[in-house]
């Protein structure tokens, strides 16, 4: 299993090329924001769109968050979540 982030354009291209269904999950960031992340599975690989979505009120806080910290935070949470889901299956 691998977890990969894709830019929005790459994510859409990948979704169309493999014909996979796009899902979404909500994660809570280290700065206590709930963000929605779009995901798609391709066999044993998981791809997520590197563009988290939050409420209008929290958008400014999200934009002020260091991009690299946010990216690392989400990557870690998504990978752990996916691993736990695979263990339960």
């Amino acid at each position: 299993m691998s977890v990969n982030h894709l830019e929005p354009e790459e994510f859409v291209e990948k979704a169309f090329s493999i014909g996979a269904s796009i899902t979404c999950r909500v994660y809570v960031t280290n700065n206590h924001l709930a963000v929605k992340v779009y995901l798609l599975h391709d066999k044993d690989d998981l791809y997520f769109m590197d563009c988290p979505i939050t409420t209008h009120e929290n958008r400014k806080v999200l934009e002020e968050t260091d991009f690299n910290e946010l990216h690392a935070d989400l990557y870690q949470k998504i990978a752990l979540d996916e691993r736990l889901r695979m263990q339960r299956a």
Side-chain angles (χ1 to χ4, degrees):
M1 175 204 64
S2 68
V3 177
N4 308 284
H5 76 281
L6 298 173
E7 295 300 318
E9 296 83 13
E10 296 172 312
F11 185 84
V12 172
E13 287 174 13
K14 186 71 169 178
F16 279 114
S17 71
I18 63 174
S21 297
I22 296 173
T23 60
C24 68
R25 295 182 193 152
V26 175
Y27 295 96
V28 178
T29 65
N30 287 342
N31 57 349
H32 311 290
L33 294 177
V35 296
K36 181 169 44 172
V37 178
Y38 289 99
L39 310 156
L40 66 98
H41 284 91
D42 180 20
K43 299 176 185 153
D44 290 335
D45 298 327
L46 175 69
Y47 297 92
F48 70 94
M49 187 166 58
D50 201 12
C51 182
I53 299 168
T54 191
T55 63
H56 179 72
E57 295 82 12
N58 291 331
R59 190 72 193 161
K60 185 175 180 183
V61 176
L62 187 65
E63 290 171 356
E64 292 172 351
T65 303
D66 179 77
F67 173 78
N68 290 322
E69 288 179 19
L70 177 64
H71 176 76
D73 179 26
L74 286 176
Y75 184 87
Q76 181 181 25
K77 288 178 174 148
I78 292 167
L80 178 60
D81 182 34
E82 186 65 13
R83 183 175 178 141
L84 292 172
R85 288 172 187 265
M86 288 180 67
Q87 286 179 349
R88 284 186 256 156

